[in-house]
Amino acid sequence: MRKTSRVQVRKMEKNYDHQSTEDQLYQSWEQSGAMYADRNSDKKPFTIMLPPPNVTGHLHLGHAAMLAIEDILIRFKKMTGHEVLWLPGTDHAAIATENVVIKHLGLKNRNEVSREEFLTECRKFAAEKHDRIVGQMKKMGAWLDWSREAYTFDDARSHAVNTMFRKLYDDGLIAKGHRMINWSTGAQSVLADDELEWEDLKEPFYYLKCGRFIIGTVRSETKCSDSPVIVNPHGKYVKIRTKAGNEELILSQYAWEENPLFAFLKQDYDVVETVTGHDLVGETFEYETYAGKRKFWVVADNVIDMEKGTGAMTVSASHSEDDYELATRLNLQELFVQKIDFHGRMTELAGPCEGMTVEEARKESAKIMKEKGLLVMIDKNYQHRVPFCYRSNSVVEPMVSSQWFISVEKEFTDQWTSKKTTLKKLMQEAVRDGHVKIIPKRFEKTYFQWIDNLRDWCISRQIWWGHRIPVWYGEVRGEEIVAVGSDEELKKKNASNIRQDEDTLDTWFSSALWPFSTLGWPDEFSPDLQKFYPNDVLETGWDIIFFWVARMIMFGRYATGKYPFHHVYLHGMVTDAKGKKMSKSKGNGIDPLDVISEYGADAVRLSLVIGTSPGNPIPLGKDKISGYRNFVNKLWNAGRFVQMQAGKDVKASDTPQSIADKWILSRFSNVAQEVKKHLEKYEISSAGDKIYHFIWDEFCDWYIEASKVDSNPSFLKYIFQEILKLTHPLCPFISEKLWGELAGEELLIGQTFPSIDFRDAQVVENFRLIQTIVTDIRKIRSDQKINPKEKLLLNIQKNKKSDVLQEALPLLKLLAGLNEIQFLETLHSEKNTVKLLIEGISLLLKIPVDEEAEIQRQTKEKQLLQNTIKSLESRLNNKGYLEKAPQHLVEQTQKELEEAKKKLLSLQ
RNA sequence: GCGCGCGUAGCUCAGAUGGCUAGAGCGUCUGCUUGACUCGCAGAAGGUCACAGGUUCAAGUCCUGUCGCGCGCACCA
């Protein structure tokens, strides 16, 4: 055995210091130039586009999880011979940024400055914040090709946006239309359906008189205009009359008979007639509203649900999606009147409530109606959900407005197949036909649910920060003409009064181009596009599957003929340790930068990927992170041990000698293959778990211990270097650091991922025997409360494994605390000995026995054996088992039974 | 209302295709301070696998139902 008495070049600290390591290592990776993806390489490409974070945002745990997962995949693929491209970038995040800048400038709204001034401020602000988010991403260790960094709002991406718009327009898939949209009164802009947040509210539900009809509504403020009263033609209604005969009302038979809310009416009213909705049609009348007398007429339509409300309703065509559709269908143009303006205030139609906010008007109108005797009753327990704007935190009103839409159901001729199709179909086919696989699979159902309900995508926004709609208007000889994509046509025709559309595009329009706009599209011959498109994996949080993933699929397939990626990997939300959502108010949030600084990036990465599964929440607490910090430190100290045994001057050699060498190599080979398999299937958690337990439970607990009695420094160095390669994708910093300490010049990531195939089943079995003997002796020592310092004598009956054990004598002595081991023909039980039977081998441990403890131990063991025997016997006595269970299982059961019996006998 | 998922040790979770004594991390208890590591070492305790039926030689695993939890979609009469 070689003493490492020579002075080491540099002593490694006792504890791993991530603080002094990580930033420096990242810099050295950047400087190496190895992060650059070579478009001319012959290697198979592997591409991930980083989901671009908001340029003005800061790194949160969701980003951290995303970066950890993607970085692991990228490093793994690089080490398995791929030309990897992980392309970074940031998003201009239209509404979000606009709001932040407005706040930053201390404006009430953006109109206090000019459009140009405002955009200049936005650009300035974005540029300032850009470096912060980029720096934070580097803290996680992300192996990104910064030379290709993109921005959703830079020139190249803007060019792609305009080109795409033009293409869609030419195919007739983009058009401007007057339609019902979601209007955020706070942001002063339209919102897409999926941008809405919903809030559960309990609001008063008013039942109002409208002529003879009772109608129900939450929105009392909208009951101020002429309207049809809609009834179901086949629905049954009752006419009820006061006992005095001075008033008659109509409501659905269902409400009258089944709805307890209306029970009180029975005191004063009696049914005088039952009719169908059809019988009521055609009736016209004038009736009082809170805003004066209005005209009403009765119309029948099947949309009316007889079990809702009173089976009758009036219509607010301009302020309700359903009503809008109904009015359109019934061709009631005159109903499209504006009761609420775009600032959320009542128009002159609202009479006494004009100028009030919707909220104020709701209360006031109800009050007036009550005074006028129009209010039948109020249901105070009515619950519903109300949409609001996630950015400005204000109410969203359905409004009719002129906007740009992408038609998802309109047919067009697909240039790649020359077949007629729709954008919706392209999205459906992507997943249905397996072009895009979603991990976990159950989200495919969610995806379809969304696509199937998909309506036209409203892409215009009334904000300033974003891609301006590439549509120009001009006049030629007094006639307005339009140019799309650029204004060149207009200039050619010498148009006058040229002006661009005022609106900007939904931020997701540019994001939807991300997988290919970053690679040079619309230039179809761009080398990057040829080499790295389609992408391999799109990894993101499941919450933006609709906003983003579905739309990338749509645009990618439409514009390039190829689906933009093969796999979609969806990670879950990071929650606190108890699985509760992190929130500022609860104070249970964790800032990734804080914990990176406290525990190191490797520990944070591990805690975000191990013990998690795609699509499920990622519970994270400091305990978990510190646990993985401990693991990282364990690895560091293993490295320290290796360095002490085999410094830089020792050459690594892959030749195993001792049984321990062969065992660890065999185990490593096995584990490495499993890890590889897991990573190929995107099962990062399992891969991490296997590495963790292999390093800690096998390499450190057994192999390093074995190295202390029988050292093979060059092999130790070899196996440890292989371990570092195995660990690198998950813990890039510590592994690279240790690699540098032990080996030297080249980067660890440039090495090949371990793929050794060394299997020696016999050695593994023999080593397991040694482990069992050691563990069993330790158990006895612990039960008998024997001082760990006290060395014991062990007698072993000679057996077929004697030479294996003979070879392992020093190891057995060290690990089990023995000073002498004798091999004897026969063993004699005597006082102060404990008999053991391990895999058919009899052993006798001489100890100062605590009789009582020993009896207790034996009784317990006997009991356990008896139970085992009982259950095994009953299994073997079962005819069905013998007949139907596979042969090898039956044999195994018999073998177990025999062994258990033998063991029990040895205890008697 | 429609759909998805979950309910396994004190806590957070693993447990393809049914088949050894149901596992891990953290926590708890006992002991140790051994020359890589107290961010450590050795050992232990702790589970009627939500409940009720069913299929099977065999169910944590498959089927049906019940209860509880989380989530998505739809939803302003």
Side-chain angles (χ1 to χ4, degrees), chain A residues 457-489:
Chain A
W457 176 15
C458 177
I459 51 168
S460 46
R461 295 289 179 277
Q462 288 65 53
I463 59 173
W464 286 347
W465 179 241
H467 299 279
R468 199 153 164 183
I469 304 247
V471 174
W472 286 263
Y473 308 92
E475 278 158 37
V476 176
R477 289 183 295 274
E479 220 172 285
E480 183 174 80
I481 56 168
V482 177
V484 177
S486 92
D487 60 351
E488 265 172 51
E489 270 174 66

mmCIF file of all heavy atoms in Angstrom, chain A residues 457-489:
data_model
loop_
_atom_site.group_PDB
_atom_site.id
_atom_site.type_symbol
_atom_site.label_atom_id
_atom_site.label_comp_id
_atom_site.label_asym_id
_atom_site.label_seq_id
_atom_site.Cartn_x
_atom_site.Cartn_y
_atom_site.Cartn_z
ATOM 1 N N TRP A 457 -58.503 33.457 -32.761
ATOM 2 C CA TRP A 457 -57.541 34.077 -31.854
ATOM 3 C C TRP A 457 -57.478 35.577 -32.155
ATOM 4 O O TRP A 457 -57.086 35.971 -33.261
ATOM 5 C CB TRP A 457 -56.176 33.404 -32.058
ATOM 6 C CG TRP A 457 -55.037 33.973 -31.289
ATOM 7 C CD1 TRP A 457 -55.088 34.822 -30.217
ATOM 8 C CD2 TRP A 457 -53.652 33.740 -31.538
ATOM 9 N NE1 TRP A 457 -53.825 35.117 -29.783
ATOM 10 C CE2 TRP A 457 -52.916 34.468 -30.568
ATOM 11 C CE3 TRP A 457 -52.951 32.973 -32.473
ATOM 12 C CZ2 TRP A 457 -51.528 34.456 -30.532
ATOM 13 C CZ3 TRP A 457 -51.570 32.952 -32.434
ATOM 14 C CH2 TRP A 457 -50.866 33.699 -31.462
ATOM 15 N N CYS A 458 -57.869 36.358 -31.175
ATOM 16 C CA CYS A 458 -57.805 37.809 -31.339
ATOM 17 C C CYS A 458 -56.361 38.240 -31.078
ATOM 18 O O CYS A 458 -55.838 38.072 -29.980
ATOM 19 C CB CYS A 458 -58.741 38.493 -30.358
ATOM 20 S SG CYS A 458 -58.640 40.278 -30.448
ATOM 21 N N ILE A 459 -55.710 38.780 -32.120
ATOM 22 C CA ILE A 459 -54.275 39.040 -32.002
ATOM 23 C C ILE A 459 -53.930 40.512 -31.850
ATOM 24 O O ILE A 459 -52.774 40.862 -31.650
ATOM 25 C CB ILE A 459 -53.502 38.481 -33.220
ATOM 26 C CG1 ILE A 459 -54.157 38.960 -34.509
ATOM 27 C CG2 ILE A 459 -53.408 36.973 -33.156
ATOM 28 C CD1 ILE A 459 -53.306 38.700 -35.736
ATOM 29 N N SER A 460 -54.904 41.389 -31.963
ATOM 30 C CA SER A 460 -54.564 42.821 -31.818
ATOM 31 C C SER A 460 -54.712 43.258 -30.373
ATOM 32 O O SER A 460 -55.545 42.756 -29.636
ATOM 33 C CB SER A 460 -55.452 43.665 -32.732
ATOM 34 O OG SER A 460 -56.801 43.277 -32.632
ATOM 35 N N ARG A 461 -53.859 44.188 -29.998
ATOM 36 C CA ARG A 461 -53.897 44.722 -28.634
ATOM 37 C C ARG A 461 -53.794 46.233 -28.715
ATOM 38 O O ARG A 461 -53.013 46.763 -29.516
ATOM 39 C CB ARG A 461 -52.717 44.190 -27.799
ATOM 40 C CG ARG A 461 -52.728 42.702 -27.559
ATOM 41 C CD ARG A 461 -53.833 42.292 -26.592
ATOM 42 N NE ARG A 461 -53.840 40.850 -26.380
ATOM 43 C CZ ARG A 461 -54.430 39.981 -27.182
ATOM 44 N NH1 ARG A 461 -55.063 40.404 -28.248
ATOM 45 N NH2 ARG A 461 -54.396 38.701 -26.922
ATOM 46 N N GLN A 462 -54.512 46.909 -27.822
ATOM 47 C CA GLN A 462 -54.499 48.359 -27.862
ATOM 48 C C GLN A 462 -53.425 48.896 -26.915
ATOM 49 O O GLN A 462 -53.691 49.682 -26.016
ATOM 50 C CB GLN A 462 -55.878 48.923 -27.507
ATOM 51 C CG GLN A 462 -56.895 48.699 -28.617
ATOM 52 C CD GLN A 462 -57.192 47.231 -28.866
ATOM 53 O OE1 GLN A 462 -57.523 46.504 -27.944
ATOM 54 N NE2 GLN A 462 -57.060 46.785 -30.110
ATOM 55 N N ILE A 463 -52.232 48.372 -27.080
ATOM 56 C CA ILE A 463 -51.130 48.889 -26.276
ATOM 57 C C ILE A 463 -50.018 49.318 -27.225
ATOM 58 O O ILE A 463 -50.113 49.080 -28.433
ATOM 59 C CB ILE A 463 -50.619 47.837 -25.268
ATOM 60 C CG1 ILE A 463 -50.145 46.594 -25.985
ATOM 61 C CG2 ILE A 463 -51.714 47.498 -24.274
ATOM 62 C CD1 ILE A 463 -49.469 45.592 -25.075
ATOM 63 N N TRP A 464 -48.993 49.900 -26.686
ATOM 64 C CA TRP A 464 -47.944 50.451 -27.542
ATOM 65 C C TRP A 464 -46.705 49.568 -27.624
ATOM 66 O O TRP A 464 -46.011 49.540 -28.617
ATOM 67 C CB TRP A 464 -47.537 51.844 -27.028
ATOM 68 C CG TRP A 464 -48.554 52.880 -27.339
ATOM 69 C CD1 TRP A 464 -49.607 52.761 -28.211
ATOM 70 C CD2 TRP A 464 -48.618 54.197 -26.802
ATOM 71 N NE1 TRP A 464 -50.319 53.924 -28.249
ATOM 72 C CE2 TRP A 464 -49.744 54.839 -27.398
ATOM 73 C CE3 TRP A 464 -47.852 54.916 -25.891
ATOM 74 C CZ2 TRP A 464 -50.099 56.147 -27.102
ATOM 75 C CZ3 TRP A 464 -48.209 56.228 -25.600
ATOM 76 C CH2 TRP A 464 -49.326 56.834 -26.200
ATOM 77 N N TRP A 465 -46.413 48.891 -26.525
ATOM 78 C CA TRP A 465 -45.169 48.118 -26.473
ATOM 79 C C TRP A 465 -45.391 46.758 -27.127
ATOM 80 O O TRP A 465 -46.024 45.880 -26.553
ATOM 81 C CB TRP A 465 -44.728 47.957 -25.018
ATOM 82 C CG TRP A 465 -43.481 47.150 -24.825
ATOM 83 C CD1 TRP A 465 -43.372 45.985 -24.115
ATOM 84 C CD2 TRP A 465 -42.179 47.432 -25.311
ATOM 85 N NE1 TRP A 465 -42.084 45.532 -24.144
ATOM 86 C CE2 TRP A 465 -41.318 46.398 -24.866
ATOM 87 C CE3 TRP A 465 -41.635 48.461 -26.102
ATOM 88 C CZ2 TRP A 465 -39.961 46.356 -25.165
ATOM 89 C CZ3 TRP A 465 -40.271 48.410 -26.399
ATOM 90 C CH2 TRP A 465 -39.462 47.367 -25.930
ATOM 91 N N GLY A 466 -44.888 46.604 -28.313
ATOM 92 C CA GLY A 466 -45.060 45.328 -29.000
ATOM 93 C C GLY A 466 -44.918 45.524 -30.500
ATOM 94 O O GLY A 466 -44.692 46.642 -30.975
ATOM 95 N N HIS A 467 -45.039 44.429 -31.219
ATOM 96 C CA HIS A 467 -44.950 44.498 -32.683
ATOM 97 C C HIS A 467 -46.188 45.206 -33.211
ATOM 98 O O HIS A 467 -47.301 44.729 -32.994
ATOM 99 C CB HIS A 467 -44.887 43.090 -33.265
ATOM 100 C CG HIS A 467 -43.701 42.298 -32.805
ATOM 101 N ND1 HIS A 467 -42.461 42.448 -33.367
ATOM 102 C CD2 HIS A 467 -43.565 41.388 -31.820
ATOM 103 C CE1 HIS A 467 -41.607 41.636 -32.758
ATOM 104 N NE2 HIS A 467 -42.255 40.986 -31.809
ATOM 105 N N ARG A 468 -45.968 46.311 -33.883
ATOM 106 C CA ARG A 468 -47.117 47.024 -34.415
ATOM 107 C C ARG A 468 -47.696 46.226 -35.573
ATOM 108 O O ARG A 468 -46.956 45.648 -36.376
ATOM 109 C CB ARG A 468 -46.661 48.406 -34.894
ATOM 110 C CG ARG A 468 -47.814 49.356 -35.027
ATOM 111 C CD ARG A 468 -47.333 50.759 -34.850
ATOM 112 N NE ARG A 468 -48.339 51.692 -35.344
ATOM 113 C CZ ARG A 468 -48.163 53.009 -35.360
ATOM 114 N NH1 ARG A 468 -47.023 53.521 -34.931
ATOM 115 N NH2 ARG A 468 -49.115 53.797 -35.806
ATOM 116 N N ILE A 469 -49.006 46.182 -35.630
ATOM 117 C CA ILE A 469 -49.659 45.412 -36.696
ATOM 118 C C ILE A 469 -49.111 45.861 -38.037
ATOM 119 O O ILE A 469 -49.170 47.062 -38.361
ATOM 120 C CB ILE A 469 -51.183 45.637 -36.664
ATOM 121 C CG1 ILE A 469 -51.703 45.271 -35.270
ATOM 122 C CG2 ILE A 469 -51.874 44.915 -37.812
ATOM 123 C CD1 ILE A 469 -52.571 44.093 -35.173
ATOM 124 N N PRO A 470 -48.567 44.973 -38.819
ATOM 125 C CA PRO A 470 -47.909 45.378 -40.079
ATOM 126 C C PRO A 470 -48.916 45.614 -41.197
ATOM 127 O O PRO A 470 -48.887 44.960 -42.224
ATOM 128 C CB PRO A 470 -46.977 44.198 -40.382
ATOM 129 C CG PRO A 470 -47.641 43.019 -39.744
ATOM 130 C CD PRO A 470 -48.409 43.519 -38.566
ATOM 131 N N VAL A 471 -49.797 46.531 -40.931
ATOM 132 C CA VAL A 471 -50.794 46.886 -41.943
ATOM 133 C C VAL A 471 -50.771 48.400 -42.089
ATOM 134 O O VAL A 471 -50.804 49.118 -41.096
ATOM 135 C CB VAL A 471 -52.197 46.420 -41.517
ATOM 136 C CG1 VAL A 471 -53.245 46.935 -42.504
ATOM 137 C CG2 VAL A 471 -52.247 44.903 -41.428
ATOM 138 N N TRP A 472 -50.665 48.849 -43.330
ATOM 139 C CA TRP A 472 -50.589 50.292 -43.614
ATOM 140 C C TRP A 472 -51.770 50.706 -44.470
ATOM 141 O O TRP A 472 -52.222 49.948 -45.329
ATOM 142 C CB TRP A 472 -49.278 50.632 -44.340
ATOM 143 C CG TRP A 472 -48.090 50.601 -43.437
ATOM 144 C CD1 TRP A 472 -47.518 51.680 -42.819
ATOM 145 C CD2 TRP A 472 -47.324 49.464 -43.045
ATOM 146 N NE1 TRP A 472 -46.442 51.277 -42.058
ATOM 147 C CE2 TRP A 472 -46.294 49.916 -42.171
ATOM 148 C CE3 TRP A 472 -47.401 48.105 -43.325
ATOM 149 C CZ2 TRP A 472 -45.361 49.059 -41.605
ATOM 150 C CZ3 TRP A 472 -46.478 47.242 -42.755
ATOM 151 C CH2 TRP A 472 -45.468 47.731 -41.895
ATOM 152 N N TYR A 473 -52.247 51.875 -44.159
ATOM 153 C CA TYR A 473 -53.353 52.409 -44.943
ATOM 154 C C TYR A 473 -52.871 53.648 -45.666
ATOM 155 O O TYR A 473 -52.044 54.409 -45.150
ATOM 156 C CB TYR A 473 -54.518 52.795 -44.028
ATOM 157 C CG TYR A 473 -54.925 51.665 -43.079
ATOM 158 C CD1 TYR A 473 -54.369 51.575 -41.799
ATOM 159 C CD2 TYR A 473 -55.854 50.708 -43.479
ATOM 160 C CE1 TYR A 473 -54.717 50.547 -40.939
ATOM 161 C CE2 TYR A 473 -56.217 49.674 -42.614
ATOM 162 C CZ TYR A 473 -55.645 49.601 -41.345
ATOM 163 O OH TYR A 473 -55.996 48.593 -40.505
ATOM 164 N N GLY A 474 -53.370 53.863 -46.870
ATOM 165 C CA GLY A 474 -53.018 55.064 -47.617
ATOM 166 C C GLY A 474 -54.146 55.395 -48.579
ATOM 167 O O GLY A 474 -55.111 54.639 -48.715
ATOM 168 N N GLU A 475 -54.017 56.512 -49.220
ATOM 169 C CA GLU A 475 -55.060 56.908 -50.152
ATOM 170 C C GLU A 475 -54.466 57.157 -51.525
ATOM 171 O O GLU A 475 -53.418 57.787 -51.666
ATOM 172 C CB GLU A 475 -55.750 58.179 -49.663
ATOM 173 C CG GLU A 475 -56.819 57.898 -48.616
ATOM 174 C CD GLU A 475 -57.119 59.122 -47.765
ATOM 175 O OE1 GLU A 475 -57.106 60.242 -48.326
ATOM 176 O OE2 GLU A 475 -57.310 58.945 -46.543
ATOM 177 N N VAL A 476 -55.140 56.621 -52.517
ATOM 178 C CA VAL A 476 -54.775 56.915 -53.890
ATOM 179 C C VAL A 476 -56.047 57.408 -54.573
ATOM 180 O O VAL A 476 -57.059 56.690 -54.602
ATOM 181 C CB VAL A 476 -54.239 55.671 -54.620
ATOM 182 C CG1 VAL A 476 -53.950 55.988 -56.089
ATOM 183 C CG2 VAL A 476 -52.991 55.150 -53.931
ATOM 184 N N ARG A 477 -55.971 58.595 -55.068
ATOM 185 C CA ARG A 477 -57.128 59.235 -55.709
ATOM 186 C C ARG A 477 -58.385 59.105 -54.847
ATOM 187 O O ARG A 477 -59.443 58.667 -55.287
ATOM 188 C CB ARG A 477 -57.383 58.630 -57.091
ATOM 189 C CG ARG A 477 -56.308 59.036 -58.116
ATOM 190 C CD ARG A 477 -56.601 58.493 -59.482
ATOM 191 N NE ARG A 477 -56.551 57.027 -59.536
ATOM 192 C CZ ARG A 477 -55.423 56.329 -59.729
ATOM 193 N NH1 ARG A 477 -54.263 56.940 -59.853
ATOM 194 N NH2 ARG A 477 -55.462 55.023 -59.791
ATOM 195 N N GLY A 478 -58.207 59.458 -53.593
ATOM 196 C CA GLY A 478 -59.351 59.511 -52.700
ATOM 197 C C GLY A 478 -59.869 58.158 -52.233
ATOM 198 O O GLY A 478 -60.824 58.061 -51.474
ATOM 199 N N GLU A 479 -59.215 57.085 -52.662
ATOM 200 C CA GLU A 479 -59.675 55.761 -52.269
ATOM 201 C C GLU A 479 -58.680 55.154 -51.292
ATOM 202 O O GLU A 479 -57.476 55.225 -51.512
ATOM 203 C CB GLU A 479 -59.769 54.877 -53.505
ATOM 204 C CG GLU A 479 -60.984 53.977 -53.496
ATOM 205 C CD GLU A 479 -61.101 53.280 -54.836
ATOM 206 O OE1 GLU A 479 -61.509 53.940 -55.833
ATOM 207 O OE2 GLU A 479 -60.738 52.096 -54.891
ATOM 208 N N GLU A 480 -59.186 54.546 -50.258
ATOM 209 C CA GLU A 480 -58.260 53.967 -49.276
ATOM 210 C C GLU A 480 -57.744 52.624 -49.771
ATOM 211 O O GLU A 480 -58.500 51.771 -50.235
ATOM 212 C CB GLU A 480 -58.949 53.773 -47.930
ATOM 213 C CG GLU A 480 -57.968 53.241 -46.899
ATOM 214 C CD GLU A 480 -58.553 53.173 -45.505
ATOM 215 O OE1 GLU A 480 -59.276 52.205 -45.235
ATOM 216 O OE2 GLU A 480 -58.256 54.077 -44.686
ATOM 217 N N ILE A 481 -56.419 52.457 -49.710
ATOM 218 C CA ILE A 481 -55.876 51.140 -50.028
ATOM 219 C C ILE A 481 -55.036 50.650 -48.856
ATOM 220 O O ILE A 481 -54.568 51.434 -48.038
ATOM 221 C CB ILE A 481 -55.033 51.132 -51.337
ATOM 222 C CG1 ILE A 481 -53.903 52.155 -51.245
ATOM 223 C CG2 ILE A 481 -55.903 51.364 -52.533
ATOM 224 C CD1 ILE A 481 -52.899 51.991 -52.352
ATOM 225 N N VAL A 482 -54.856 49.342 -48.812
ATOM 226 C CA VAL A 482 -54.219 48.711 -47.666
ATOM 227 C C VAL A 482 -53.008 47.919 -48.122
ATOM 228 O O VAL A 482 -53.051 47.276 -49.173
ATOM 229 C CB VAL A 482 -55.212 47.747 -46.963
ATOM 230 C CG1 VAL A 482 -54.550 47.029 -45.811
ATOM 231 C CG2 VAL A 482 -56.439 48.505 -46.498
ATOM 232 N N ALA A 483 -51.934 47.991 -47.344
ATOM 233 C CA ALA A 483 -50.768 47.160 -47.638
ATOM 234 C C ALA A 483 -50.424 46.346 -46.398
ATOM 235 O O ALA A 483 -50.482 46.859 -45.278
ATOM 236 C CB ALA A 483 -49.587 48.018 -48.029
ATOM 237 N N VAL A 484 -50.053 45.103 -46.592
ATOM 238 C CA VAL A 484 -49.773 44.227 -45.459
ATOM 239 C C VAL A 484 -48.345 43.706 -45.538
ATOM 240 O O VAL A 484 -47.877 43.369 -46.617
ATOM 241 C CB VAL A 484 -50.760 43.042 -45.439
ATOM 242 C CG1 VAL A 484 -50.419 42.079 -44.310
ATOM 243 C CG2 VAL A 484 -52.184 43.551 -45.284
ATOM 244 N N GLY A 485 -47.672 43.703 -44.406
ATOM 245 C CA GLY A 485 -46.303 43.186 -44.360
ATOM 246 C C GLY A 485 -45.284 44.303 -44.413
ATOM 247 O O GLY A 485 -44.339 44.305 -43.650
ATOM 248 N N SER A 486 -45.490 45.241 -45.327
ATOM 249 C CA SER A 486 -44.645 46.430 -45.362
ATOM 250 C C SER A 486 -45.398 47.516 -46.118
ATOM 251 O O SER A 486 -46.403 47.239 -46.778
ATOM 252 C CB SER A 486 -43.300 46.132 -46.022
ATOM 253 O OG SER A 486 -43.368 46.396 -47.400
ATOM 254 N N ASP A 487 -44.889 48.737 -46.038
ATOM 255 C CA ASP A 487 -45.623 49.836 -46.679
ATOM 256 C C ASP A 487 -45.087 50.164 -48.069
ATOM 257 O O ASP A 487 -45.452 51.158 -48.668
ATOM 258 C CB ASP A 487 -45.578 51.083 -45.781
ATOM 259 C CG ASP A 487 -44.145 51.546 -45.543
ATOM 260 O OD1 ASP A 487 -43.211 50.797 -45.924
ATOM 261 O OD2 ASP A 487 -43.965 52.626 -44.966
ATOM 262 N N GLU A 488 -44.233 49.274 -48.581
ATOM 263 C CA GLU A 488 -43.596 49.561 -49.869
ATOM 264 C C GLU A 488 -44.598 49.741 -51.002
ATOM 265 O O GLU A 488 -44.484 50.665 -51.808
ATOM 266 C CB GLU A 488 -42.622 48.440 -50.238
ATOM 267 C CG GLU A 488 -41.202 48.778 -49.815
ATOM 268 C CD GLU A 488 -40.276 47.598 -49.988
ATOM 269 O OE1 GLU A 488 -40.285 47.024 -51.092
ATOM 270 O OE2 GLU A 488 -39.579 47.242 -49.011
ATOM 271 N N GLU A 489 -45.565 48.853 -51.027
ATOM 272 C CA GLU A 489 -46.577 48.937 -52.081
ATOM 273 C C GLU A 489 -47.218 50.308 -52.138
ATOM 274 O O GLU A 489 -47.458 50.856 -53.214
ATOM 275 C CB GLU A 489 -47.690 47.913 -51.805
ATOM 276 C CG GLU A 489 -47.448 46.567 -52.428
ATOM 277 C CD GLU A 489 -48.521 45.604 -51.981
ATOM 278 O OE1 GLU A 489 -49.690 45.817 -52.355
ATOM 279 O OE2 GLU A 489 -48.194 44.672 -51.220
#
